[in-house]
Amino acid sequence: MTAAMIGIGNFFFKYRNQLFPAMIVALFLLAPPPAHGSSAAEPVMAIAAILLVVAGLGLRATVIGYAYIQRGGLNKRVYAKDLVTEGMFGVCRNPLYVGNMLIYSGVFLFSGNPLAVVLGIGLFAFIYQCIVLAEEEFLENKFGDAYRAYCRDVPRWALRLGRFHSATEGMSFNVRRVIAKDYSTLSATLITLLVIEFYRAALNEGLTRSLPYVAVLAGLLALIGLTTGAISRLKKRGVFSEPKPIH
């Protein structure tokens, strides 16, 4: 079973940038967001969803701001040059993936369709578990006893926040790196939430009756798109590059 999950993990690690968006679209086509007012629990679910998304984005920002590691691998394969154990990686072995799961859970909950919530969270939790197993196999083979000791000391998924101070002691938070490395995640998350809300608003009253609200949503989508493009251009110009050390 573990070997099969590792194979699945390697596959999704390689193709996740293409497959994850397609899977989310497929899930929403299978279980589309219901119209506003279809459930008495809708306001509570929406608030809980936003809190989960904010927590996920905040966790990712904290991870990247203190000790970023390249999660893209090498040639789309699991790879690590060094064993990173400081920053949030001293609190949890996979804090970026925990952040991702919080975001995905919030997005699926925001959709308001119970089927999307159950299928979406369950499917992505399984996939991330497979990816983590694939990464763990690589890291154990490369770093041996050092990695096994790290695994004994730091949990795979739980956040031992009591260790945050000691894990980040002497480190400084790098805002530039957060913007440069994670602006696309923030943009994609906000666009997904707005598209869901756009669909629900149009479904609830029709495009004509909900036109003012839909126009606001469209304006926000355009603003996010323009901001994302501007940050991308600034990044290419090196605005967010970290200063080189002076020797």
Side-chain angles (χ1 to χ4, degrees):
M1 179 65 176
T2 302
M5 292 179 70
I6 290 174
I8 294 171
N10 281 316
F11 174 79
F12 275 99
F13 186 92
K14 184 175 183 179
Y15 297 109
R16 57 185 170 174
N17 289 340
Q18 296 80 27
L19 290 176
F20 281 11
M23 289 165 55
I24 292 173
V25 172
L27 280 167
F28 285 145
L29 290 176
L30 176 66
H36 282 302
S38 59
S39 170
E42 181 185 320
V44 176
M45 291 175 63
I47 293 172
I50 296 300
L51 290 176
L52 284 172
V53 169
V54 170
L57 291 170
L59 177 56
R60 283 185 57 89
T62 303
V63 176
I64 296 169
Y66 280 108
Y68 178 75
I69 64 172
Q70 182 61 43
R71 280 292 189 182
L74 181 66
N75 297 324
K76 296 186 178 181
R77 295 180 182 273
V78 174
Y79 177 80
K81 181 180 179 181
D82 303 301
L83 180 61
V84 180
T85 60
E86 65 269 16
M88 285 299 292
F89 295 96
V91 175
C92 172
R93 299 208 307 264
N94 300 284
L96 283 173
Y97 292 163
V98 174
N100 290 350
M101 278 305 305
L102 288 171
I103 294 170
Y104 285 128
S105 298
V107 167
F108 290 124
L109 187 62
F110 188 76
S111 77
N113 190 312
L115 183 59
V117 175
V118 174
L119 286 180
I121 295 176
L123 179 60
F124 276 85
F126 173 75
I127 290 172
Y128 271 117
Q129 178 65 23
C130 292
I131 290 175
V132 165
L133 290 176
E135 290 183 342
E136 288 178 349
E137 181 189 48
F138 173 88
L139 293 170
E140 185 173 2
N141 289 336
K142 181 166 184 176
F143 299 108
D145 290 340
Y147 181 69
R148 285 187 284 272
Y150 172 62
C151 290
R152 289 192 296 270
D153 188 52
V154 180
R156 176 187 283 159
W157 291 112
L159 297 171
R160 292 188 179 175
L161 296 178
R163 296 185 175 186
F164 178 77
H165 176 72
S166 60
T168 58
E169 189 173 4
M171 303 178 71
S172 58
F173 187 81
N174 192 321
V175 177
R176 288 185 179 183
R177 185 165 61 220
V178 173
I179 296 172
K181 299 294 184 181
D182 222 34
Y183 75 94
S184 58
T185 299
L186 175 61
S187 174
T189 302
L190 293 177
I191 288 173
T192 302
L193 294 176
L194 286 171
V195 168
I196 291 172
E197 184 64 11
F198 187 98
Y199 178 89
R200 288 161 66 91
L203 180 65
N204 192 48
E205 297 180 348
L207 280 174
T208 303
R209 295 182 61 187
S210 60
L211 188 58
Y213 183 48
V214 168
V216 171
L217 296 176
L220 290 173
L221 282 169
L223 178 61
I224 293 171
L226 291 172
T227 303
T228 302
I231 294 175
S232 178
R233 287 192 293 273
L234 291 173
K235 180 181 177 180
K236 290 178 180 178
R237 294 177 183 176
V239 173
F240 302 112
S241 299
E242 300 179 36
K244 295 182 179 180
I246 300 175
H247 298 287

